[in-house]
Amino acid sequence: MTTRSASSPQRDPGPKRRAADVAYDAIEVMISTLQLQPGSPVVEAEIVETTGLGRTPVREALLRMVSIGLIAQQPRRGLLVSHIDLADHLDVIQTRRVLERLIASCAARRATAPQRQAIMRCAEKMVEAAARCHLDDYMQADHELDVVVHQASQNHSAVKCVQPLIVQCRRFWYAYQHEGEVSEGARAHLQLAQGIASGDEAQAMAGAEQLMEYLERFARRIIDR
């Protein structure tokens, strides 16, 4: 299985971004796709070499990840990638459910015409990748959809809260992907996208709800087995 390059996460063109944000995105990809395994040490020098970014933005990104729990800082052991906590994962989804509904509603109201078009393109890419059973393309399109939906929502507080939860869900998926059905997830994303693209808040929120129900069923299959 191929993986996205950690040094160049794909984002929609826009204003020049801070180096620390670029570093954060690169490390996020490494964690969510299990290139950095749960419990493994995070070595700043190796991250700098992998990303091609400076020590200062990498250090800032790592501290940000410590603050939201994606990386743990332990005495005498340094930085470690946080473990996947099965018992906690349903709470992650429950919390994300509230935020995703809010973000979907805001995006349906506030998205620009180009953003609505981009959202549909991303969702259609997910459906197409699911039909080919190509997980990496599916997850890349999912990542791109998150970016444009978050931008369209203009709700920075909700986006800031939901981002670490998305990483945890994505990492959970990569760890247990053999239990999942990507076509079901693609359909939920498509409903979400159609609601936002048409300005239909109810449909957008229903799509977000359908997606969270799918993720919860997926998680329960792992936790209950």
Side-chain angles (χ1 to χ4, degrees):
M1 181 178 75
T2 59
T3 56
R4 288 182 285 148
S5 170
S7 60
S8 57
Q10 297 182 14
R11 297 283 189 179
D12 289 343
K16 186 174 180 179
R17 304 173 67 241
R18 296 172 60 248
D21 293 333
V22 176
Y24 181 92
D25 288 348
I27 300 167
E28 176 192 296
V29 169
M30 297 168 73
I31 291 175
S32 64
T33 61
L34 302 182
Q35 295 174 57
L36 286 174
Q37 290 283 334
S40 66
V42 179
V43 182
E44 182 181 299
E46 292 178 359
I47 301 294
V48 169
E49 182 178 358
T50 299
T51 63
L53 297 167
R55 285 186 176 272
T56 298
V58 167
R59 184 173 295 121
E60 183 178 334
L62 290 174
L63 289 174
R64 182 175 157 197
M65 289 191 156
V66 170
S67 71
I68 60 178
L70 292 175
I71 291 176
Q73 190 167 23
Q74 299 189 353
R76 296 183 297 278
R77 296 188 65 191
L79 300 180
L80 301 175
V81 179
S82 63
H83 289 279
I84 297 175
D85 188 335
L86 293 182
D88 183 59
H89 195 68
L90 291 177
D91 287 341
V92 169
I93 294 171
Q94 183 180 31
T95 305
R96 184 180 169 189
R97 183 191 303 269
V98 177
L99 294 167
E100 291 287 3
R101 286 173 57 87
L102 174 60
I103 290 169
S105 175
C106 291
R109 292 198 315 271
R110 299 171 177 173
T112 64
Q115 286 172 334
R116 295 180 198 277
Q117 294 170 0
I119 286 167
M120 281 304 303
R121 284 196 300 271
C122 291
E124 289 165 354
K125 284 169 63 176
M126 292 186 72
V127 171
E128 190 273 335
R132 293 188 288 109
C133 296
H134 198 296
L135 180 62
D136 287 328
D137 285 355
Y138 176 87
M139 297 302 274
Q140 175 63 47
D142 181 27
H143 181 73
E144 293 170 357
L145 179 61
D146 286 341
V147 170
V148 67
V149 169
H150 292 170
Q151 291 171 346
S153 76
Q154 300 178 46
N155 189 326
H156 305 299
S157 296
V159 168
K160 183 178 180 180
C161 291
V162 83
Q163 283 175 334
L165 305 180
I166 290 173
V167 177
Q168 291 186 51
C169 289
R170 190 169 285 139
R171 181 171 63 154
F172 188 92
W173 174 271
Y174 265 90
Y176 301 105
Q177 59 185 271
H178 57 283
E179 299 282 350
E181 175 52 65
V182 292
S183 61
E184 185 179 354
R187 288 193 296 271
H189 282 93
L190 183 60
Q191 180 178 352
L192 169 67
Q194 289 171 336
I196 295 173
S198 64
D200 186 334
E201 287 186 61
Q203 182 181 358
M205 292 174 68
E209 183 69 25
Q210 182 181 338
L211 175 59
M212 292 303 102
E213 287 289 338
Y214 161 66
L215 291 180
E216 182 173 339
R217 288 194 300 273
F218 170 71
R220 288 190 182 279
R221 283 202 298 271
I222 305 303
I223 294 168
D224 295 341
R225 68 184 180 183

